[in-house]
Each structure stands twice: as structure tokens, then as C-alpha cells.
Amino acid sequence: MTNAPFRLEEWLIEPELNSLTAHGKSHHVEPKVMRVLVHLAEHPQKVLSKEEIIHHIWPDTFVSDDVLTRCISVLRRVMEDNPQSPRFIQTVPKAGYRLLAAVRPPVEDAPAPPSGDKQDALRNGTGGQPAAALEEDTSQQNTSLQTPPTHPAHGHAAPAANRRTLWMTLTAGIAVVLCAAILIFEWHAHLQSQQTPSFRTIAFASTAGEQAQASFSPDGNRLAYVARPERGEGSRIYIQGVGSETALPLVSNHQANTTEWSPVWSPDGKQIAFLAHTDSGLGIYLASATGNAEPRRIFIPQDTVHWDQNALSWSPDGKELLFADHYPGQAASSIYRLKLDSLSAAPMTSPPPGWEGDMDPAWSPDGRFVAFIRASESAVRDIYLLPASGSQPRKLTNDARDIDSITWSSDSNSVIFSSDRGGKFALWKVGISGGEPSRLPVGVEDAYQPAMDRSGKRLAYTQSSALWSISGIALRGNEHTLNPVISSTLQDSAPSFSPDGTHFAFQSWRSGQQEIWIANSQGTEIHQLTHMSGSITGSPAWSPTSDRILFDSRPKDHSHIFVIAASGGEAKQLTSGDFNDILPRWSANGRSVYFRSNRSGRWQIWKMNADGSSPQPVTAGEAIIAAESPDGAWLYYARAEESGIWRMPVNGGAEEKVLPQPAAGFWGYWALTSQGLYYLDASQKTPFITQYDPATRKSSRIATMETRPPIYSGISVSTTAQQLLMTDRRNVGSHITLVEVDR
């Protein structure tokens, strides 16, 4: 079958175009997704194991089942194929997948057999063309050959000598074409073998727990990386040789409550710079690369701007460090260059007003450029390129998608980055002249934080995995155990109950992109609600009237607020403009919407009518997510980087802090009901769920959790306070994958 078009029921499949068409509408999918469909179509009605499909589609790449699962999910979404009652692709438990539909040719109805003059035309090689076309072809032949061709007349045979001459000419021509084709094919294969590197994954032993943020030594033989223990707080930097089993801590006097990030080697390999948060505050530190060293703080930044990514870069001449920080009093972050001789820092970039800012700088190995990420909002990012001498940066990608971190190829000709531009986070490469990024054959899913050594022969990246759940706690009775309601590896999170408690909305990557989904309270009858064409979509909020759901999405360069009927249909955009609006929540009566916005130049809670009209700022200071009390008297809210819950009168007035928790970063883990405020208390090593009564100002513990949930989102409680839903994550792991590049 290879690339030949074919049909599955009403769908026309064109593998060469990566296109599926039905009812006059075409859908384009990734090449690997199309190859999965083609492979199934080559074995219709046959159950193919996951292992067999993966081996066929990714023969030289190490991938897990999730990659194949995502491809199947994309195909089902495009073809509107229900996995519970499939028409096209059937999941056979513990066996694999089977294509159910019959594979048919693209055009089934053959034309009627020609007769009369048409048969003569076919015998003479001119059948099927209109008269005008034939005349044009004849004219072209006369011009090129300078002599008219010999045609048989009235069906009589041409002389035998003419036929022999014709056949000899045709045979010689065909032989020349075949030889040329063979030579071209062999030369192309030779070029491919010379130009296409092969990749080989090699073992990299590491400490127990999670590992991330790999950084190569200048000779490429050692890695510095960040490790977090399986149980315990803080993270620590280690140094380990490639092929060695011994990991040496960088800092000798590491304290339990210290967190270290983003190691980067000096060009001479003698020192490592890193970021840290200790009892004495934030700092950029230098330490000897021999390990077990006493670090020296050389600079105090204003804030931790994406320190959990590759946030430091050392200039090739060894004289400067790059990092991201904020101007005093400014919301957007900029790239700063720290001169190591004077220890003075100055901004290198200036992002547009109202944007989240610039982050994750990376010097090119030849020292000519600085690449960095510029974000209009946390999940709307692109890569920019700036000459090291200054001037204006140039946009390198045009995805407006989430980019995790970047590094350079060893020849300084391209930037390697981790992005969700194709669905799950994977490794991509884009040339410094721009153009369409290409996916690397390694790091095809859940791959973050790439690092390349100077020789270009070794690549490292962080591979992560987790089982995401929306878990429930029954609030009535004596049993308050947290049990999964739905689970997947596709980041199910941010639940929002319907008012009657029979269903909940949530955000998930089940379709290959983050969209809004709905399930009943038992976790069954799951279906996708939104189809926002690849935009990261999330933060659902069910209306008090049960008929609508708010959410935020990022269709272009900014995030905005949308509303959709709970029964489905087309979403309506409520906000717009060159700023960001996120995290919408309904007022108690459903007539207004609260949301977080930076339209004033800083992040605040705003309020607008339910139709999107009359937006007005509510909070004077920074706030991230708000909820109105059931009686409509108070507005409660959390802040992005400060622990606690605040409240203020809905009609205006002074704010007051009512709770010291949730902790900073866990701003989504609280919910307000007529029964009180439920929140996550992570002040101790073992977190727990607590109920707070605003009238008595007393708290009572509801349930103890086994592990700390993921940051940001969130908790939802049914209006009758019978059940609490929250985002949970188990079997969390991240490790460093090391790849050797054979050229």
C-alpha cells in the first residue's frame, strides 16, 4: 500500500499528504500518526500488538506505549471514532489494535468500457484526453522533433520496419531512464548515509529519586545535574562521569531546606555556576567542579524566573553569565548579563509591556548569538535570537506554544528545544535562519531540558513520567480516603464539579492536545467538550446555572476567556486584546465572571459581565484565582507566589488574610462552599485536606495525603459538600537520558 491513497468508509486517506478527508473537510496529521494508520490498513481485521506496531513505526527509536496511544487517540479524534463502540480502530485488551473498517480503493466505480472511435483512440495512445489537449500535445511533438509523427490510418497496421524502429527507440529510452533513476537513488542513499546521524541511547546511572537539568562538562565526559530525593524536601546538584556509577555532590555543606538549580560549567571546566534558595535568600553561586566544595554567592537576583529549567548560561569566553530576572517593580522578566570581573548585572532584553517576559538564555558555542524564550503568557512562548553585541532580537519560531528549555547544536547553526508543538513534549531543532522546526528521532515524548556537548557527539535530556489522577474524597461519614476517579498518563487535572455534583469538567491531554473533557462523578462516560485546534485549553469552571462552562485558551499570541455550552457546541470568546486573561470563575449568581489579567500592566483579579462586557479591576494588588462566597458578600483569592488565602468585600474595601495556606505555588488547591472553605495544607512533610469555617475561623483536618500533589491546580467540592475532587499524581519519576550521536 505504501503511500497510495485508500478509503475507510467515508474517509479518503492520502498518506503522501498526511491527510484524512470526509464530507468536504480535510484534516492533517503528523507523519507518524499517518504511518500508524497505514500500517493498520495493511493488515485489516488483524490484531497487531503494540510491540509490533512500535517496532515498525519507530524501528531505531526508544519509545514507550504512550507514543502509540497518542497516535491512536489523534486518529480517533479526527475520525470521530468512539473507543467504546468503534467503527474504525478497536482496542483489544492485552493484545493490541485492530482496524475494523474495510480498506477500499480511492475510486471504486470504474468507467464504462470505451467503444467505437474511443477504442481506436485508446489503441493509439490518445484515449481519455479532450480534443484540445490532443492538439496541444501534437503541436509540441512537431516542434521538438521537426518531423511529423507516423500515425496508423483508419485502424490499419503500420509497416513492420517502423514498428521495430519505434520499439527499439522506446526500449533504449526506458533503459536510459532506469539507469539514471538507479544512479540517482544510490547517490541519494549515499548522501543520506553521510548526512544523517544515528543515535544510540547509553546507560547513565544516577542517584535515587528524580534527576533533571543535565549540563555537560567542556570535554563532554561528565554531567552536572539536579537530583531530588524520593522522599524529602529540596534538590541538590551532583557531578557524575559518563559510564561511572559514582555521583559526587557539588556542595559539601548542603542544608535540608536548600534548593539548588540550573548548574552550568565554566568554559575551562574548573567551576560550576548554579542558582540556589537557602535560609539566607536567593543567590547565584560559584563552586569548584571538583565536588564537595564550599560555594561562593556572587549575586542576589530579584526573583526565581524559571529556575527549574535551564536558567543559567556561561559565555564561551568565560567572562559573563546570563540569567533571567525582573526589573525592580516590573512584572515582565528580562535577560540579564552578569560580568564576572565586576559582578555587575545589566538587562540585555526588554520584552513588550504586559508580557510574561524573557527567560532561559543560551549562548551559542561560537559566542555570536544568545537564544532565549519570550513568553506572552506561561504557555504561549517562542524562541528569539539576539546578536551577542546587542540590537533587536529576531523571532526564530512562530508556534505560540509551550517551550520548556533550549540548547545549541555544537556547530552553532541550530537551536534544540523541548516543546509541545506536536502534542506531548518532545525534542525539536530549528536553524538560526528560521523555518519549520524538525523533530529529533530521540526524545519523542515527555522529553525536556536538552543539553548538547561541545563535540556534538552526546546529547542529554530529562525524561519524565507520572500517573495523573483526579481523585475523590467522600466528605460525609467517617471514611475520608483519597481514591482515584479517573487516571491516565495524559495529565488529567483541574476538576470542576457541576452544581448538582453528577458530573465534572477537567483538562487533559487525552486528545493529543490539552482540551476540556467531561466525566460523570463515577469517572465513566468520559467525552471531549472543546476542540480548540491545538491551543492549550484549560481551567474549566462550571456555571451555577449548570448550562455553561468557562475556560481559558490560547488561539494566538495571548490567552483569553471563553464560554461553551455544557452540552457542547461552538465556544464563544469573551475577552480579546494584546494581554492575557486566565483562570475564569463565576460569581455566586452566575451573572459575572472573575478572572486574572495583566491588561493593566500587572497581574490582578478583574471582573466582567457574563457576556464579556464592562471589565473592571477588582484587587489593588497581585492575585491569581478568585471565588465569590455563596452569599455574594465576600471575594476570596490566592496569590501566585505567596502562601495563603485573602478576602475583601465584593463591593470594595480593605483586604484581610484569612489563612496561611495553601502554600505558594499550590494556589489552585482550595474551594469555597456553603459548608466552608476546603484547602490543601502543605505546611508539614505530610500534606492534608482541611476545612475552614469563616464564621468561627476554625479549621479541622479532613484527610491526610500520602504524597504532595502537583503544583497549581486544583480542588473542587460539590455544592452539597458530599464529595471533594482534586488533582493527584503518583509514580512520579524523571531521569536523565544520555544519547551518543554517531555521524
Side-chain angles (χ1 to χ4, degrees):
M1 182 178 296
T2 60
N3 284 333
F6 60 95
R7 280 192 176 275
L8 298 174
E9 300 295 342
E10 71 273 22
W11 289 92
L12 172 63
I13 315 300
E14 298 176 279
E16 197 167 39
L17 302 177
N18 295 312
S19 173
L20 297 84
T21 304
H23 311 298
K25 186 175 181 180
S26 295
H27 302 261
H28 293 273
V29 297
E30 299 173 41
K32 294 291 187 184
V33 175
M34 178 57 71
R35 287 190 60 191
V36 169
L37 180 58
V38 169
H39 190 57
L40 290 171
E42 289 172 340
H43 306 84
Q45 300 297 327
K46 180 181 178 181
V47 178
L48 300 180
S49 70
K50 292 182 178 180
E51 293 77 11
E52 194 277 335
I53 299 174
I54 289 173
H55 178 73
H56 181 82
I57 306 299
W58 296 273
D60 301 315
T61 306
F62 295 89
V63 300
S64 68
D65 291 355
D66 281 349
V67 182
L68 176 59
T69 301
R70 188 183 71 81
C71 291
I72 297 295
S73 176
V74 171
L75 291 171
R76 283 173 169 161
R77 173 175 56 83
V78 170
M79 303 174 80
E80 298 181 353
D81 194 25
N82 187 345
Q84 277 70 47
S85 55
R87 295 173 55 216
F88 298 102
I89 301 174
Q90 177 188 26
T91 299
V92 182
K94 298 182 179 180
Y97 298 102
R98 178 172 64 165
L99 184 68
L100 299 177
V103 179
R104 299 182 283 118
V107 180
E108 292 190 289
D109 299 324
S115 59
D117 293 338
K118 290 186 178 180
Q119 285 183 331
D120 292 339
L122 284 172
R123 281 194 296 266
N124 289 307
T126 59
Q129 300 184 45
L134 290 177
E135 292 172 3
E136 181 179 350
D137 289 346
T138 302
S139 171
Q140 290 172 350
Q141 287 178 351
N142 287 342
T143 302
S144 60
L145 296 177
Q146 299 299 317
T147 55
T150 303
H151 293 288
H154 306 292
H156 294 293
N162 289 345
R163 287 202 305 270
R164 283 195 300 273
T165 302
L166 177 63
W167 280 111
M168 289 174 64
T169 303
L170 288 173
T171 302
I174 292 171
V176 170
V177 171
L178 285 175
C179 289
I182 292 171
L183 288 173
I184 292 172
F185 176 81
E186 290 182 347
W187 178 245
H188 178 73
H190 169 72
L191 287 179
Q192 289 291 101
S193 66
Q194 295 297 315
Q195 297 174 0
T196 304
S198 61
F199 298 85
R200 183 169 64 91
T201 300
I202 61 176
F204 181 71
S206 54
T207 56
E210 300 179 51
Q211 299 84 43
Q213 294 187 307
S215 176
F216 279 104
S217 61
D219 61 8
N221 293 326
R222 290 183 294 168
L223 280 175
Y225 62 92
V226 175
R228 182 186 296 273
E230 291 179 308
R231 293 193 178 272
E233 299 296 323
S235 58
R236 192 171 186 179
I237 295 173
Y238 288 84
I239 302 172
Q240 185 171 331
V242 175
S244 171
E245 298 293 329
T246 303
L248 189 68
L250 175 65
V251 175
S252 57
N253 61 345
H254 178 87
Q255 300 175 356
N257 55 351
T258 294
T259 304
E260 300 168 354
W261 290 282
S262 297
V264 59
W265 296 74
S266 62
D268 61 8
K270 295 180 179 180
Q271 297 184 92
I272 291 177
F274 64 98
L275 303 162
H277 188 185
T278 69
D279 288 338
S280 59
L282 306 177
I284 298 177
Y285 288 80
L286 290 182
S288 171
T290 56
N292 278 324
E294 184 72 25
R296 177 171 62 99
R297 185 163 67 175
I298 61 172
F299 190 81
I300 301 176
Q302 296 286 322
D303 203 357
T304 57
V305 180
H306 293 275
W307 282 15
D308 56 340
Q309 299 173 10
N310 296 335
L312 273 181
S313 183
W314 209 315
S315 64
D317 61 10
K319 296 180 180 180
E320 296 176 298
L321 283 171
L322 295 180
F323 65 100
D325 204 357
H326 290 96
Y327 291 115
Q330 294 293 322
S333 59
S334 299
I335 304 301
Y336 279 71
R337 56 197 313 170
L338 173 64
K339 294 184 180 299
L340 295 178
D341 55 357
S342 62
L343 297 182
S344 61
M348 191 178 188
T349 66
S350 180
W355 284 45
E356 181 178 345
D358 302 336
M359 61 201 73
D360 302 345
W363 283 98
S364 62
D366 61 12
R368 293 188 302 138
F369 297 104
V370 172
F372 64 93
I373 296 171
R374 175 165 286 177
S376 65
E377 190 260 346
S378 59
V380 183
R381 305 178 178 183
D382 275 299
I383 299 173
Y384 284 71
L385 200 63
L386 177 69
S389 57
S391 76
Q392 290 299 311
R394 173 169 56 89
K395 197 174 185 181
L396 203 57
T397 63
N398 292 279
D399 290 338
R401 298 298 300 266
D402 200 353
I403 297 174
D404 172 74
S405 48
I406 61 178
T407 190
W408 282 86
S409 62
S410 59
D411 59 7
S412 298
N413 287 330
S414 57
V415 175
I416 298 169
F417 62 101
S418 168
S419 172
D420 67 350
R421 69 188 309 274
K424 279 196 168 187
F425 274 89
L427 300 186
W428 299 77
K429 182 173 72 171
V430 62
I432 58 174
S433 59
E436 185 70 15
S438 59
R439 191 197 290 260
L440 295 187
V442 294
V444 296
E445 63 158 333
D446 296 326
Y448 306 86
Q449 302 165 349
M452 178 72 77
D453 79 336
R454 283 184 179 179
S455 69
K457 295 181 179 180
R458 282 180 175 153
L459 170 73
Y461 61 91
T462 302
Q463 186 94 42
S464 67
S465 62
L467 179 64
W468 289 73
S469 301
I470 292 178
S471 298
I473 300 174
L475 297 177
R476 300 291 173 86
N478 298 321
E479 185 67 28
H480 300 309
T481 304
L482 189 67
N483 295 307
V485 178
I486 59 172
S487 297
S488 76
T489 59
L490 299 170
Q491 299 188 27
D492 302 331
S493 60
S496 175
F497 261 121
S498 62
D500 61 7
T502 60
H503 292 79
F504 63 90
F506 63 100
Q507 62 189 33
S508 178
W509 286 79
R510 290 170 178 246
S511 65
Q513 309 287 344
Q514 184 170 286
E515 298 278 3
I516 306 300
W517 292 67
I518 290 180
N520 63 18
S521 58
Q522 289 76 42
T524 58
E525 301 177 5
I526 301 173
H527 68 275
Q528 185 176 340
L529 178 66
T530 62
H531 299 82
M532 298 299 289
S533 302
S535 302
I536 293 181
T537 299
S539 310
W542 215 304
S543 68
T545 54
S546 301
D547 58 337
R548 292 166 294 167
I549 293 176
L550 290 167
F551 62 92
D552 55 32
S553 189
R554 297 141 183 87
K556 293 184 180 178
D557 288 341
H558 294 84
S559 56
H560 287 293
I561 309 301
F562 294 76
V563 66
I564 189 172
S567 57
E570 186 174 352
K572 177 185 177 182
Q573 186 168 344
L574 298 181
T575 67
S576 60
D578 293 332
F579 39 76
N580 297 295
D581 305 317
I582 58 175
L583 299 169
R585 293 295 183 266
W586 295 96
S587 62
N589 59 17
R591 297 173 186 169
S592 303
V593 175
Y594 295 96
F595 60 99
R596 174 172 162 92
S597 179
N598 65 353
R599 57 181 64 202
S600 65
R602 56 178 178 161
W603 287 106
Q604 297 169 278
I605 296 298
W606 285 62
K607 183 180 181 179
M608 63 183 174
N609 294 330
D611 62 0
S613 62
S614 303
Q616 298 291 331
V618 176
T619 60
E622 190 274 337
I624 187 167
I625 189 168
E628 197 173 277
S629 60
D631 61 5
W634 295 93
L635 182 69
Y636 289 75
Y637 52 89
R639 290 178 172 157
E641 297 180 1
E642 189 174 351
S643 299
I645 299 291
W646 288 257
R647 76 173 186 176
M648 61 179 287
V650 165
N651 294 326
E655 69 174 18
E656 63 173 328
K657 189 173 185 178
V658 296
L659 285 170
Q661 292 284 317
F666 292 88
W667 42 257
Y669 286 89
W670 62 283
L672 193 60
T673 73
S674 58
Q675 307 298 314
L677 193 155
Y678 296 82
Y679 67 95
L680 172 72
D681 189 332
S683 60
Q684 301 179 26
K685 183 171 292 187
T686 301
F688 47 89
I689 303 298
T690 299
Q691 181 185 9
Y692 170 77
D693 186 345
T696 64
R697 303 205 171 200
K698 293 183 178 180
S699 297
S700 57
R701 186 177 300 188
I702 298 297
T704 300
M705 302 183 61
E706 295 180 3
T707 59
R708 187 180 294 259
I711 58 175
Y712 305 147
S713 58
I715 280 179
S716 182
V717 178
S718 61
T719 54
T720 57
Q722 292 185 354
Q723 188 180 16
L724 179 148
L725 293 177
M726 67 176 296
T727 306
D728 195 12
R729 188 175 58 172
R730 306 291 179 92
N731 303 326
V732 179
S734 67
H735 62 273
I736 294 170
T737 297
L738 194 58
V739 180
E740 285 192 345
V741 184
D742 298 321
R743 298 185 178 277

